[in-house]
Amino acid sequence: MTQARGQGTEPAGDERDRDQDPGPDRNPDQDRSPERDLSLERDSSPDRDRDRAATVRVFIALAPPDEAKDELETALRPAYDAYPRMRWNRIEDWHITLAFLGELPVGTVPPLRPPLADLAASHGPVELALRGGGHFDERVLWSGIDGDVDGLHRIATDVRRVVKECGIPFEDRPLRPHLTLARARRDDRSSVVDVAAGLAGFTGRPWRTERLHLVASDFGRGPGPIRYRDIEAWTFDGR
């Protein structure tokens, strides 16, 4: 089995842009949504609603199940206590990006739904696991992906083909499967390196991908932490 590991490669668009958002410190004991999925939305002003009506920031992803998140959260709890100034991602937002599409006119999103539904129906689940840790340029902390990484790449390749066939331009960077956990403050890069080293021995339980997620984020739409919501998600039904 192969594993996504390594340091220093610039993250994909959603990871790179999120590093620019100051965001509040994460409280690991904060209330979490019951489903803990990519689904929580924010209130906004009428002006922001008008802005959102024109465009939406979109990516396509997989999400680990709650049991896998719980294991990793437990492993990270000493780091939450030791490094409270790091910008920790909300656990319900943890995801593995397959394709980052960026800011799109809202009218370009509906045509993605039928072919993505067909894609999910034609693919069976793949077995993955969260394992180890690393960082991008001492700024972004991530956990690695183990298991059927070849199967993950096949899904990502088909996802990106669908996006291109829908005529949506996007930055088609090589896939480095990972799950982003936190970002360093600009004046404290060493914390990410230390936490990544502490995760080196982490090995999570295997889990099967359940659904393909078409996700919207509210990056750049007001102060506060970024929130994600599912536009739609489809079960992997293939054999």
Side-chain angles (χ1 to χ4, degrees), residues 40-85:
L40 190 62
E41 299 185 63
R42 294 171 33 177
D43 293 334
S44 59
S45 69
D47 287 344
R48 289 180 194 145
D49 285 342
R50 283 193 293 272
D51 291 341
R52 292 182 186 186
T55 63
V56 61
R57 195 175 186 85
V58 177
F59 60 91
I60 301 164
L62 305 175
D66 288 351
E67 294 81 4
K69 294 177 183 179
D70 288 340
E71 281 188 319
L72 184 53
E73 180 189 18
T74 298
L76 284 170
R77 192 157 288 277
Y80 291 153
D81 295 336
Y83 302 100
R85 292 191 66 245

Side-chain angles (χ1 to χ4, degrees), residues 185-201:
R185 299 286 177 178
R186 295 185 184 279
D187 61 349
D188 180 19
R189 298 292 179 87
S190 63
S191 297
V192 164
V193 178
D194 292 343
V195 179
L199 282 176

Side-chain angles (χ1 to χ4, degrees), residues 174-211:
L175 181 66
R176 291 282 307 280
H178 65 279
L179 189 150
T180 300
L181 302 172
R183 287 159 183 78
R185 299 286 177 178
R186 295 185 184 279
D187 61 349
D188 180 19
R189 298 292 179 87
S190 63
S191 297
V192 164
V193 178
D194 292 343
V195 179
L199 282 176
F202 174 76
T203 301
R205 71 182 68 187
W207 49 273
R208 287 164 66 85
T209 56
E210 299 263 339
R211 295 184 294 170

Side-chain angles (χ1 to χ4, degrees), residues 57-130:
R57 195 175 186 85
V58 177
F59 60 91
I60 301 164
L62 305 175
D66 288 351
E67 294 81 4
K69 294 177 183 179
D70 288 340
E71 281 188 319
L72 184 53
E73 180 189 18
T74 298
L76 284 170
R77 192 157 288 277
Y80 291 153
D81 295 336
Y83 302 100
R85 292 191 66 245
M86 286 179 62
R87 289 152 44 192
W88 295 99
N89 287 11
R90 297 169 350 119
I91 294 168
E92 57 265 44
D93 288 341
W94 285 354
H95 64 274
I96 303 166
T97 301
L98 303 178
F100 177 71
L101 311 189
E103 200 79 25
L104 300 178
V106 292
T108 65
V109 176
L112 284 168
R113 293 182 172 186
L116 288 175
D118 291 343
L119 187 158
S122 68
H123 276 274
V126 297
E127 187 171 278
L128 302 174
L130 302 175

